[in-house]
Amino acid sequence: MPDRNDSTDPTNDTESNDTDGIGDGGGDPPRDPTLHRPDGGTTVLEDDRDAELDRGPLQQWAANSISHPERVYRAMFYVAAIFFLFTTLFPFYWLLMVALTPEGQLQDIVFTPNGFNPGAFVEVFQVIPFHVYMFNSFVIALGSTIVVLVIASLAGYAFGRLQFPGRTPLMLLVLVISFFPPAAFFIPLNDLFNTSFAFLRPITGDGTLYNTPFALVTPLSAIFMPLAIFILTTFYGQIPDGLEDAARVEGTTRLGALFRVIIPLSAPGVATAGVLTFIAVYNEFFFSFLMTDGQPENWAPILDGILAYQGQYQVLYNLMAAASILGVIPVAILVVIAQEKIVSGLTAGALKE
Amino acid sequence: MARVRLENVTKRYDDVTAVDDVSMEIEDGEFVTFVGPSGCGKSTTMEAVAGLTQPTEGRVYIGDDDVTNLAPKDRGVAMVFQNIALFPHMDVYENISFGLRLRKYDDEEVRRRVEQAADIVQLEGMLDRMPDEMSGGQRQRVAIARAIVRNPDVFLMDEPLANLDAKLRVHMRTELQRLHRELGTTIIYVTHDQAEAMTMSNRIAVLNDGRLQQIAPPLTCYNQPANLFVAGFIGSPSMNFIEGELVEDGLETRNFTVELDPTRLQSLSVGDAVTLGVRPEDVHLTRYADSLASATSPIDARTDVLEPMGDEVFIYLLLSEGAAGSMEEDPATSPNQLLMSVTPDTEIEAEQDVEVVLDRSKIHLFDSATGDALVHGLTDLPSGEPGTTRSEAD
Amino acid sequence: MARVRLENVTKRYDDVTAVDDVSMEIEDGEFVTFVGPSGCGKSTTMEAVAGLTQPTEGRVYIGDDDVTNLAPKDRGVAMVFQNIALFPHMDVYENISFGLRLRKYDDEEVRRRVEQAADIVQLEGMLDRMPDEMSGGQRQRVAIARAIVRNPDVFLMDEPLANLDAKLRVHMRTELQRLHRELGTTIIYVTHDQAEAMTMSNRIAVLNDGRLQQIAPPLTCYNQPANLFVAGFIGSPSMNFIEGELVEDGLETRNFTVELDPTRLQSLSVGDAVTLGVRPEDVHLTRYADSLASATSPIDARTDVLEPMGDEVFIYLLLSEGAAGSMEEDPATSPNQLLMSVTPDTEIEAEQDVEVVLDRSKIHLFDSATGDALVHGLTDLPSGEPGTTRSEAD
Amino acid sequence: LARGRKPGTVVMTAASDIAGIMHSGGDKSSIQKALWEAGLDEDIRVEIQTVVSDSATRMQTAQSALEAGRSPPDIHMMDSGWTVPFILREQTVNLSDQFPNDVLEYVNNNYLGAILETARHPETGDLHALPLFPDLGFTLYRKDLIADAGYDTGGWGTDPPSWEEFSTAVRDARDQANLGYGYTTQANAYEGLSCCTFNEVMTSWGGAYYGGANNLFTAGERPITVDGERAIDAIRMMRSFIEGESENTLDGYPQISPSAIVQWTEQESLSPFSAGNAVSNRNWSYAIAETGTEEAFGEDLGVMTTPSAVSEQEAEYQGVGGTASALGGWNLAVSPFSERTEEALQVLEAFANEEVMLTIFELGGFLPPNLDLVAEASTDEVGPVARYGDVVQSASENAIPRPATDLWPEQSALIYQAVNSAYRGEQSPTSAMNDLATELKQSEAEVQTNDN
Amino acid sequence: MTTEPTDGAQSGAEPETGAETITDGGTLTGGDMERSRERDRTGNAVINWMENLSEAAYAYLLLLPAFALLALIAFYPLLRTFVMSLRADQTRGIDPLGAFVGVENYVDILTGNARLARQFLDVGLTSSFPFVELGTQFFQQALFVTLAFAVISVVLETVIGFGQAYVLDQDFRGRRWVRVAIILPWAVPIVIQGMIFFLLFQPTVGFGSDLMQSLGIFSATPLANSRDAFIIILVADIWKSSAFMALLILAGLQSIDRSLYDVARVAGASPWQRFKMITLPLVMPALLVAMLFRTMDAMRVFGLIESTAGCTTVPSLTCLVVEAMFGGTRIFATAAAVAFATALVIGLIISIYVLLFRDTEGGMY
Ligand SMILES: Nc1ncnc2c1ncn2[C@@H]1O[C@H](COP(=O)(O)OP(=O)(O)OP(=O)(O)O)[C@@H](O)[C@H]1O
Ligand SMILES: Nc1ncnc2c1ncn2[C@@H]1O[C@H](COP(=O)(O)OP(=O)(O)OP(=O)(O)O)[C@@H](O)[C@H]1O
Ligand SMILES: [Mg+2]
Ligand SMILES: [Mg+2]
């Protein structure tokens, strides 16, 4: 099914016309410059269409802000945006400075590195096979995300759209898992995953799940599932019944309606649940530490890799910083991809009611 | 076989009974229209047929099967929803072809059918629009196309033309009739448009307050309404109702008396309250009434407001008794008002004294207590002494 | 002051021009109805007035102010949306009172007003329902109540009655008219119901394809349509159009000729294509046509289909030339078909040869090339020699 | 995914530093080669399972494997600080039962006694792990700077000065050279404080946790002496170093340490020193290797054990007083769950070979458990440490093993919290130590009740 | 999953009539359809079985996979851990657990007598106002630290996250990059997050310590000072976790039907009123989920503390569990008891949510 959202997200064209001044925040001339944005924002940037008047941007802004208080909202918006950008990005910048500082010179870093050693980004791979750790984490995170989304979708559908006795207690039961510190699961799971099961012998050799991706995907899926179930329950519950009805009359099963209508329409929620699960698993340490021996060839995740730069008394901060910057890249890419889904207001025009 | 049968279907919500013990049988290939006031249970009944709502009581049959517990997809129905319910994440083509793609038709066939359906609803060239880029009427047409593109046993259409202009509506009407004729599909239809109901349906089912009032061919409903409700509901403008009481030689209202032989109304006797109903077009100015086979004696009235409609003119009459008629009250139920319709070329003005007669053959009598129809047309109930009508003038 | 003025308003979407250079001025307190085919730009124009859409070009004035760039909340408008758009998280009371609560009215006042509005739309006792527990018509009534509960300068109503039954619709019609009268608010109204448009409006604005065709009082639109589109659009069933050519002594169509003096049609001359328009009610059976002041000479025809509507009957005539008339084509444009309407007591059957005349005073002529109206009523265009009409029979 | 191992492969956990020298290509020497040369069956190959270097994490790794009864690893490399708890939990193989007598004898006679203590069963005295390398705490200082300030550091190496002299010298040197810091050490609230830095200072003051060296490994019925005068004086002195003259300090000791030491561990305290911004630093042998090179301070680096305040004779308890050097280091223990116990034992035996120890010393800089060997190594091969052979010897003689019983981790936390908060002045030394004593007694009592 | 049970009625019958148009596909008689539908129903037994289940049965069926997985990975271990918490600690010998002691471990925890470096709760009753006294200072009692952390961080993160989501919800140039930037902190592993703030406030390395000190907020050794370290951890957590809030709230914002805003705008709602009356209630379900899970996460904070100031300086509830579980001294029973006590505390907090938001539209509890 062609994905229409790509083409309707105005950000696609905004990149290309960076010509006019700050006064025209929302303007992308070829589209409808009004409020019916496909993924539309709520409020702030709406009244900015006479920006093409022939005046200096600043003058114009000043003049307009008197007659249109929306201008002030927009100014506030930009201040807020820049503030958020700065506060979220500064620690990254600082991390980069740490990475660029040569080992042993980690002192008094403010806005510039103490020395300049971009080689750290190469060294990261020389000291240990960091890419293997990254790959492991990626595979495990992907696997868990898929498992979580599928299973949680079913549960979220049941919780969000069906009425049945015991719904609330069962939801609370799911929630209860998140009450416990992960360590509470340690001893039993440690036993469980080191127990040898005859039926697993052909698959894993010694019959235990230890050191296999299954040993990571299974518990990690379970641990991060409550969040996904709750998110999906919320979003699925909000899809108007009318759309599901229409799908079912058209010939889908209940399950078919879930996958064809409800999930696509909950795209923001599904994508969010996916991103959150992926990131959580990707960076998870506690359980992966339990289920593997920390060897890259045994599916040890990225965090094992990052910690490998720690010595007995010394920490290679520059390499750790470089490694974590590299490690964040796949997630950043994922976010770039998923955000198209996260921001797609899809219910518009659905129903007349 | 796609006979649809409802057996004592009841649907209760927490505090409302949306559908109340409705039973009906719709023949294979029949076109039945549900009409009734807003909130009377039309959509709910349809949903029960489609399987979208589970009746609290009663059973639904399609063909010979009890489908009460069958999933919607297995009922072979297609539905146009009152709230349209397009899939907002699909463009028009995908919306229309949704049901076909589910059934894994090959792409060629899907495209052919979709294009044809789009043609019927006049949406050619809009197949790649998204729902939120369309006007209200266009969306509704997509919804219609989505239903007709399939070949179901039963069509359920809940006000499919509500947002279309008169011309398109006429067009769609003929298209739907043609479809009905050619496919022989059973169609259940909801409309608020009397003309639609009258012209398209084999039978009309009138619902009120969740209960079925009458199911009968359109003209039967129009000419022989089963009760006061149906009489008042079918026909626009509505039938005039005048409260009266049976007296020795006829029916006495506050303003006039109609001669008839009360003994012929088996269930009632002198003194019982009876409501007289007469449609606006059956009220005639005495001076134009020569052609009537059987008219009542003239009634004095005064014209109040004239409402020119283009092809006809509505005249609100105040029967002579009532001088203080207020516009606020519904003229159709106020006892001393009478609505009549005349052709535009009739010479008449507002605030003019006139004399009118009622066409006796078109007078309906209803039992005021139960609302049930007693008789349609007084020609069979000759008055004791024709011609000696008296017009009360107090 | 709440005059509404549109100045060259144009709204273009990617590939569609929804509104095309529309200018109009709506007086303070006027009731103007927008009509036009589905997708012609009615809602978009309304949205431009409300401030929900920014015109690509042109300016909007409310009162004396240029509001083109003003936020909707500062325009003093209330709107009933075509897609209803109730707040799903609020019950009926909260939905209706939304605008009032925004303005911090005191609770007493809010309750009083809400109850009054609920009364008007007949929703008493449903104030604590949630939108998803209501029928389509009930929701629409909530939307109406939400608008009327406020005291705006301008009401915008986009098909507010589409989902209501005839009776409620009549009720709402009177209520809205009363509101209009009492509050003196300017009302812009969209409807597909001709009766609504005709009875309620001070003026009707006919739109087609984004362009304004005519804005005039209802009867002017009906009797003196500005062009072929308006003539065909206003009135139901639609006006009959017959293509013809100006000849020496009149207008010659494939089936008959109408006498007139072509020189009186200033802009045209003999040989030009002209379209004759006549409404179904202005076609009369010759035998009933005595009363006509000025009729054309009789035309031979054969009845095809009879469509009884209760209070009138539509008759599809095949003009004698055309034996192979096909139902598929729209009878209104097919040159050898003619639709007429008669009273139900007319004695006529399907497939019967008849003779009809047209009421000359009700004949419209249009320039076939531009579609513009040339003349309304031929009484001013006397034929060369009255009475010598000839009926072509080939 | 099948994880069948080649027969003869023995898996041992180790951090990347050991892993890096275990095997080598070609002719270059490696531990594996040395092991084979020491008589290890050529079919037995040691494979390293690299673990994180962080000691606490490694303990968790070992713990989860042993609690689950998992093997491989067949040989666990255990910090001398937490070998005993595993021994007490019966999660190691008793080497006294399994080793040939000659090997046993060699180990008992030649290995550094203090580290052997961390590898023995506290009750039976049986050897349950083989020390791989010991580590010792040293005080590093800048000979040049102190000399510039007019102090003679000639004898400091094997005969450290008193704290008083040391601190004045450091202060003068710092002020003279206009450096940012004088003496840097580790005082963060972490294991290193209780096991090592404070332990050293306290010992040099003649104080003790459990009433002397005899009681280090016998949890349950020993005296608790942390609230003794000496221990409290030690804290007061440290507070003088941090705060100068202030509450709860000792007169005569100048301010020489930055207050930040209370949040510093090894690396943070070393950085200013190696950057030339501090006069002295307390650290481990790796720091000698790092700062003693020619590119760094070379001959200007002075190394000694801790200064002292109370001599051994004056000390109240047995085995304390005088200079001290905290003992770290790692042991090798065979997992009782191993399916290759035989092979693993053979590997361990081979490790108890002087050539192997020297190879490890030369390749990785890890001190041989038989410290006599340090003198035999040449500077060329092992780097600057060799230059301080005498200091290492002296340190080994004054080594204080941490009291690593099964209760130690628990008690250690109590200790470092108390000491750290006393250092920071949040609590007075007396009240901090009194509270600590109460808590420790409670903890000791726990063993008694539990064991019954 | 998406394989559709095709209604074989049409697909089966269609090929014959394929050449005809729908409108004249009159050969497709009802009888044909009926027969083919029968066939279809028998052909997809499983799906038909599922389709015809009652709503409740169907719901249970859908919940089955989730609960099967959770039972194995979560409920079963928790049960075992619970049993563990009822036995005595045993630091020696092969068996980690001693005799059955009932709730003794819990009593120890609540009375401040557990074998823990920092206590779960250590308050005593006194006779004078305010009748309780802290055994150790506020920031060294795990329960208080954790509660304070959870409350402050969740409140601030909600506000900031909402702000961020609101910004991200707008349409402006380069917004996709801003979105990525704002979400990015959530992608940073906790260890690195801890490292960043550890180094920032390490006086020799970062400037954070000096900066705050010059503002008079921090002491010279913020990472060793419980209060300062608490603030550092708070800031670090807000930096990272606001993105979590922002992400979920953004998704909630995006799911709101835009036409409702049109209605509100015409009705005269100011931006703030639109926010209060439309956005907030409609985004509430998503917001609640975000807050709920943030609260639970904050109540279980550990990794961040461990990698910045250390569990001694800022002891959280999970710190206690981890220290007991992995501290070297084998006190598994105590660890298990602390874990359950922690869960109990979180459960209490969550029930406050449940009570507070029970009636919220879209609330699901
Ligand atoms: N967002 C949009 N993007 C592209 N085209 C649009 C959009 N909205 C409306 N249009 C188009 O603009 C035209 C006018 O739409 P509008 O909604 O004004 O019609 P309308 O007169 O209200 O019709 P209806 O009676 O069917 O409601 C239509 O052709 C429609 O398809
Ligand atoms: N989910 C619900 N909960 C409670 N009452 C409901 C629910 N759905 C419908 N109703 C009520 O049931 C009655 C019948 O509703 P229904 O939708 O069938 O009416 P309708 O005949 O289709 O009306 P309309 O012409 O206005 O669409 C109405 O009074 C409505 O308020
Ligand atoms: Mg309905
Ligand atoms: Mg519209």
Side-chain angles (χ1 to χ4, degrees), chain A residues 152-162 232-233 236 244 248 254-255 257-258 262, chain E residues 58 62:
Chain A
S153 277
L154 300 180
Y157 178 83
F159 283 137
R161 303 190 68 84
L162 301 178
L232 296 180
T233 298
Y236 293 172
E244 190 182 357
R248 294 188 59 204
R254 286 188 276 205
L255 214 54
L258 168 65
I262 293 172
Chain E
Y58 187 62
L62 293 186

Side-chain angles (χ1 to χ4, degrees), chain B residues 236-237 280-281 307-315 340-345, chain C residues 219 222 281 311-312:
Chain B
S236 173
E281 69 264 27
E307 221 172 66
M309 301 296 292
D311 58 349
E312 56 187 336
V313 177
F314 294 142
I315 304 171
M340 72 180 290
S341 78
V342 297
T343 50
D345 46 11
Chain C
L219 286 178
Y222 193 84
E281 70 264 27
D311 58 349
E312 56 188 335

Side-chain angles (χ1 to χ4, degrees), chain E residues 43 142 227 252:
Chain E
R227 190 185 60 92

Side-chain angles (χ1 to χ4, degrees), chain A residues 30 32 34-35 49 352-353, chain C residues 11 14 54 85-86 139 163:
Chain A
D32 171 14
T34 64
L35 324 162
R49 5 20 234 188
K352 176 176 143 182
E353 64 180 21
Chain C
K11 175 71 193 182
D14 281 354
Q54 191 64 16
L86 299 187
R139 285 179 209 172
N163 280 300

Side-chain angles (χ1 to χ4, degrees), chain E residues 2-312:
Chain E
T2 49
T3 37
E4 281 312 318
T6 56
D7 191 330
Q10 275 79 354
S11 57
E14 201 46 35
E16 287 96 59
T17 58
E20 288 164 301
T21 62
I22 1 169
T23 44
D24 54 14
T27 56
L28 194 63
T29 65
D32 274 348
M33 296 179 78
E34 199 50 38
R35 240 178 294 125
S36 37
R37 198 163 52 230
E38 272 320 317
R39 194 169 61 224
D40 169 59
R41 258 179 238 159
T42 50
N44 293 283
V46 176
I47 281 150
N48 282 313
W49 171 75
M50 273 172 61
E51 204 59 10
N52 295 327
L53 285 175
S54 74
E55 186 157 308
Y58 187 62
Y60 297 134
L61 182 71
L62 293 186
L63 292 175
L64 196 65
F67 276 89
L69 186 59
L70 293 180
L72 180 71
I73 302 298
F75 299 131
Y76 156 77
L78 286 179
L79 204 66
R80 277 194 51 187
T81 306
F82 181 66
V83 172
M84 212 186 284
S85 74
L86 301 177
R87 297 177 62 184
D89 290 321
Q90 186 129 305
T91 57
R92 296 179 187 176
I94 193 97
D95 188 353
L97 294 169
F100 180 84
V101 294
V103 294
E104 196 177 288
N105 290 320
Y106 292 93
V107 174
D108 285 347
I109 288 168
L110 293 178
T111 53
N113 291 321
R115 301 174 67 176
L116 297 165
R118 293 288 187 211
Q119 289 301 330
F120 186 93
L121 177 69
D122 189 7
V123 290
L125 293 177
T126 61
S127 53
S128 63
F129 186 79
F131 307 114
V132 286
E133 72 180 355
L134 302 180
T136 43
Q137 78 176 94
F138 183 85
F139 281 113
Q140 289 173 356
Q141 296 195 30
L143 182 61
F144 296 144
V145 169
T146 311
L147 285 176
F149 177 81
V151 170
I152 301 174
S153 70
V154 170
V155 168
L156 292 179
E157 281 158 18
T158 305
V159 172
I160 294 172
F162 221 122
Q164 293 179 335
Y166 221 67
V167 166
L168 295 187
D169 192 41
Q170 302 301 323
D171 190 7
F172 57 92
R173 216 175 12 254
R175 130 178 108 158
R176 71 162 66 193
W177 300 113
V178 177
R179 254 181 217 148
V180 175
I182 289 185
I183 291 166
L184 218 47
W186 183 249
V188 174
I190 290 177
V191 177
I192 300 304
Q193 174 202 14
M195 184 184 97
I196 293 173
F197 285 85
F198 171 77
L199 292 178
L200 254 177
F201 289 95
Q202 194 57 254
T204 46
V205 182
F207 59 90
S209 196
D210 295 340
L211 181 72
M212 298 299 274
Q213 224 179 319
S214 66
L215 294 175
I217 299 172
F218 277 6
S219 66
T221 53
L223 289 172
N225 178 300
S226 291
R227 190 185 60 92
D228 298 350
F230 180 83
I231 293 172
I232 292 173
I233 287 163
L234 211 53
V235 170
D237 193 65
I238 290 168
W239 173 68
K240 179 174 158 99
S241 303
S242 295
F244 171 89
M245 289 301 236
L247 207 57
L248 258 176
I249 294 169
L250 177 61
L253 288 177
Q254 288 294 326
S255 302
I256 298 174
D257 187 344
R258 303 289 156 179
S259 56
L260 299 182
Y261 289 114
D262 283 354
V263 178
R265 283 145 51 87
V266 172
S270 65
W272 166 247
Q273 287 171 320
R274 267 175 273 161
F275 173 80
K276 197 178 61 180
M277 300 175 82
I278 314 283
T279 310
L280 194 58
L282 286 174
V283 89
M284 201 45 135
L287 181 65
L288 272 183
V289 169
M291 284 175 67
L292 194 66
F293 278 82
R294 255 330 286 161
T295 307
M296 293 190 299
D297 267 2
M299 293 287 293
R300 295 180 296 166
V301 62
F302 165 68
L304 175 59
I305 294 179
E306 178 66 18
S307 51
T308 46
C311 275
T312 334

Side-chain angles (χ1 to χ4, degrees), chain B residues 28-229:
Chain B
D28 184 21
E30 205 180 4
F31 191 129
V32 169
T33 304
F34 288 178
V35 299
S38 167
C40 69
K42 304 179 292 294
S43 301
T44 310
T45 311
M46 279 213 164
E47 282 169 13
V49 174
L52 295 172
T53 197
Q54 193 66 13
T56 320
E57 284 160 36
R59 311 212 64 79
V60 178
Y61 299 84
I62 295 182
D64 293 324
D65 305 326
D66 180 347
V67 297
T68 318
N69 294 311
L70 209 60
K73 72 173 181 75
D74 297 325
R75 297 192 180 198
V77 300
M79 182 159 177
V80 180
F81 289 83
Q82 188 175 15
N83 63 2
I84 300 180
L86 298 188
F87 303 120
H89 58 304
M90 301 181 190
D91 65 19
V92 172
Y93 182 87
E94 290 165 335
N95 259 292
I96 297 180
S97 63
F98 185 77
L100 299 179
R101 286 180 296 135
L102 283 179
R103 288 176 182 71
K104 309 240 182 307
Y105 281 76
D106 71 273
D107 290 354
E108 257 316 293
E109 171 74 5
V110 170
R111 171 150 296 276
R112 200 179 56 72
R113 285 209 192 194
V114 170
E115 270 164 7
Q116 196 179 3
D119 226 62
I120 291 175
V121 298
Q122 303 187 349
L123 279 179
E124 319 87 339
M126 295 203 184
L127 289 178
D128 51 2
R129 292 264 193 101
M130 296 302 282
D132 66 351
E133 297 170 349
M134 309 191 84
S135 79
Q138 288 163 343
R139 284 180 210 179
Q140 193 158 42
R141 284 181 274 160
V142 177
I144 299 172
R146 184 173 62 184
I148 62 177
V149 80
R150 289 173 48 207
N151 262 336
D153 296 345
V154 181
F155 269 125
L156 303 172
M157 302 198 167
D158 201 346
E159 307 208 23
L161 310 181
N163 281 300
L164 303 185
D165 57 280
K167 209 153 165 188
L168 197 54
R169 201 181 289 211
V170 171
H171 167 78
M172 284 308 305
R173 221 147 81 183
T174 23
E175 285 295 342
L176 289 179
Q177 282 175 304
R178 190 167 57 88
L179 218 69
H180 176 228
R181 216 170 39 238
E182 286 174 8
L183 297 180
T185 320
T186 309
I187 298 186
I188 305 180
Y189 195 92
V190 170
T191 185
H192 285 315
D193 184 323
Q194 300 259 343
E196 237 165 85
M198 298 304 272
T199 52
M200 300 176 79
S201 350
N202 297 124
R203 282 192 296 163
I204 292 181
V206 186
L207 289 161
N208 186 30
D209 231 352
R211 270 185 296 273
L212 182 63
Q213 305 291 326
Q214 180 167 20
I215 176 164
L219 286 177
T220 310
C221 288
Y222 193 85
N223 295 325
Q224 292 155 38
N227 55 29
L228 266 177
F229 176 80

Side-chain angles (χ1 to χ4, degrees), chain B residues 134-138 163, chain C residues 37-44 46-47 82-83 158-159 190 192:
Chain B
M134 309 191 84
S135 79
Q138 288 163 343
N163 281 300
Chain C
S38 167
C40 70
K42 304 178 293 293
S43 301
T44 311
M46 279 213 163
E47 284 170 11
Q82 190 175 14
N83 67 356
D158 202 345
E159 306 208 23
V190 170
H192 284 315

